[in-house]
Amino acid sequence: MKNNTVFFSHNSKDKVIVEPIALKLMEIFGKDVIFYDSWSIQPGEKIFKKMEEGLNSCKFFFLFISNNSLESQMVELELHAALNKLTSKNKEITIITIRLENIKEMPLFLQNIKWIDFFTLGFDATVRTIYDIIMGNNVFHPKFKTIRNLKAYLNIIDENNAEVTVEASHFLEPNSEIGIWWRNEKKLEATLIGEGFQETGTVNESLLNNKVPFKILTLKGRSNLYPNNPIKIKVKTEFNLHENSILIYHRKNKGLLELIETTLTSDPNKINYKNEIIANTKYHIEY
């Protein structure tokens, strides 16, 4: 790859974000491929001459947009030079905008260009996208490989009482059997709230994670589980819910339970294990 193939246009106030990206790409492509002013312009060299050299040889012009850069005359000069090169018949250049923050007002001529959204993607995904553009790869990386239809909410009322709500987000689930998992020898009781539901009351004891004992209490609704028709479960335990996690599962079929992503709706400061609810265990339990 030729020298200065990539040009980074940015405001110096944004170096705290831009420089780690430049360094990561330098590891991949080498320092000479990336025109980044901090290493491409040395003391004693003429700034505008070096910038012109970088712009003339670059194929990819990455414009890091922030409220700082929109007020920068230097960034404006670099962008106009890139746009002039874009309109030249003898020059080949691709201008890619990277949004660093929530911009007050995106310039009109950039609104019609799809940008890389560092503000929502974060560091790793942004670097991967820049790499794919330089390499000519399709930048699509799937975010939604599976449909997570069920979600659960756990409200811990006190040390021994909680309420669980399970709801379908997108479509009907024909099997409304829900499992409550706990790893404790003490007792857990659960009751379905509302009409149209029945409790199976089945307690399955099995082994998980290198023969660590756990229990699952399953409950089944009389009707299907579908959007706007949640299952609500009242939970009562002999163990302290502030110290011991419970997990919510859905029975996919006879031998498979699938973990439901759970949101803690009670005060998290009272819960010692906090995010463990969503949990340090297998996504599936097979038996």
Side-chain angles (χ1 to χ4, degrees):
M1 195 171 290
K2 295 181 179 180
N3 290 354
N4 298 333
T5 299
V6 177
F7 191 101
F8 275 10
S9 178
H10 64 288
N11 183 265
S12 60
K13 294 178 182 178
D14 298 322
K15 282 188 179 295
V16 65
I17 298 174
V18 177
E19 189 156 301
I21 296 174
L23 289 170
K24 190 66 178 178
L25 292 166
M26 182 193 73
E27 292 176 9
I28 300 170
F29 297 109
K31 186 180 290 185
D32 292 338
V33 172
I34 313 294
F35 186 95
Y36 176 63
D37 61 355
S38 293
W39 66 61
S40 298
I41 305 174
Q42 295 299 304
E45 294 181 328
K46 295 181 179 179
I47 295 174
F48 287 102
K49 181 181 178 182
K50 294 296 293 186
M51 282 176 46
E52 186 178 5
E53 290 174 1
L55 286 165
N56 285 335
S57 58
C58 83
K59 289 182 63 178
F60 301 98
F61 180 89
F62 288 95
L63 175 62
F64 291 85
I65 285 288
S66 68
N67 292 310
N68 293 323
S69 66
L70 289 176
E71 297 174 358
S72 169
Q73 290 184 348
M74 183 65 76
V75 171
E76 185 178 357
L77 285 171
E78 292 170 352
L79 177 58
H80 281 306
L83 290 170
N84 288 335
K85 184 178 176 181
L86 183 65
T87 57
S88 173
K89 294 182 180 180
N90 300 321
K91 302 291 184 180
E92 181 184 351
I93 188 173
T94 302
I95 298 175
I96 305 100
T97 304
I98 301 175
R99 186 179 77 138
L100 296 182
E101 60 183 348
N102 194 14
I103 306 299
K104 295 175 184 176
E105 186 177 357
M106 186 68 79
L108 185 63
F109 69 93
L110 291 175
Q111 291 179 9
N112 196 37
I113 301 174
K114 185 175 180 179
W115 58 69
I116 300 172
D117 199 355
F118 174 89
F119 184 65
T120 58
L121 288 176
F123 179 80
D124 291 335
T126 298
V127 169
R128 182 177 64 180
T129 303
I130 294 172
Y131 170 83
D132 285 338
I133 289 171
I134 295 170
M135 296 302 295
N137 301 330
N138 192 306
V139 299
F140 171 72
H141 296 283
K143 297 178 183 178
F144 310 104
K145 294 183 180 180
T146 59
I147 298 175
R148 303 295 295 273
N149 185 40
L150 294 184
K151 53 186 177 181
Y153 301 91
L154 174 61
N155 179 26
I156 297 178
I157 300 167
D158 56 38
E159 292 182 356
N160 304 109
N161 293 277
E163 185 173 297
V164 174
T165 302
V166 180
E167 60 183 31
S169 300
H170 307 291
F171 54 84
L172 179 147
E173 290 280 357
N175 187 356
S176 59
E177 189 167 2
I178 302 300
I180 300 177
W181 176 101
W182 76 101
R183 189 166 57 197
N184 197 295
E185 293 300 324
K186 294 184 179 181
K187 190 175 181 181
L188 179 147
E189 296 178 350
T191 306
L192 286 163
I193 301 172
E195 298 181 3
F197 299 105
Q198 65 180 7
E199 181 177 342
T200 61
T202 304
V203 176
N204 298 308
E205 293 193 25
S206 188
L207 299 173
L208 179 66
N209 295 340
N210 300 319
K211 301 185 178 180
V212 176
F214 73 97
K215 296 181 180 180
I216 295 180
L217 171 64
T218 59
L219 307 97
K220 183 177 177 62
R222 286 197 178 97
S223 63
N224 296 323
L225 188 56
Y226 55 88
N228 300 318
N229 185 47
I231 288 178
K232 293 191 176 182
I233 305 169
K234 184 179 180 180
V235 177
K236 186 175 181 61
T237 69
E238 292 181 352
F239 55 85
N240 190 335
L241 285 166
H242 292 166
E243 304 289 341
N244 300 273
S245 61
I246 61 175
L247 304 174
I248 315 303
Y249 281 84
H250 174 235
R251 186 184 295 282
K252 298 294 290 185
N253 53 51
K254 184 178 179 181
L256 179 66
L257 289 165
E258 183 178 72
L259 182 67
I260 302 174
E261 184 175 316
T262 303
T263 301
L264 181 66
T265 59
S266 47
D267 185 357
N269 293 321
K270 295 180 180 179
I271 312 302
N272 290 343
Y273 52 85
K274 295 181 182 177
N275 291 333
E276 239 178 77
I277 292 172
I278 311 178
N280 253 339
T281 187
K282 290 183 178 177
Y283 181 70
H284 297 102
I285 293 178
E286 298 182 30
Y287 56 95

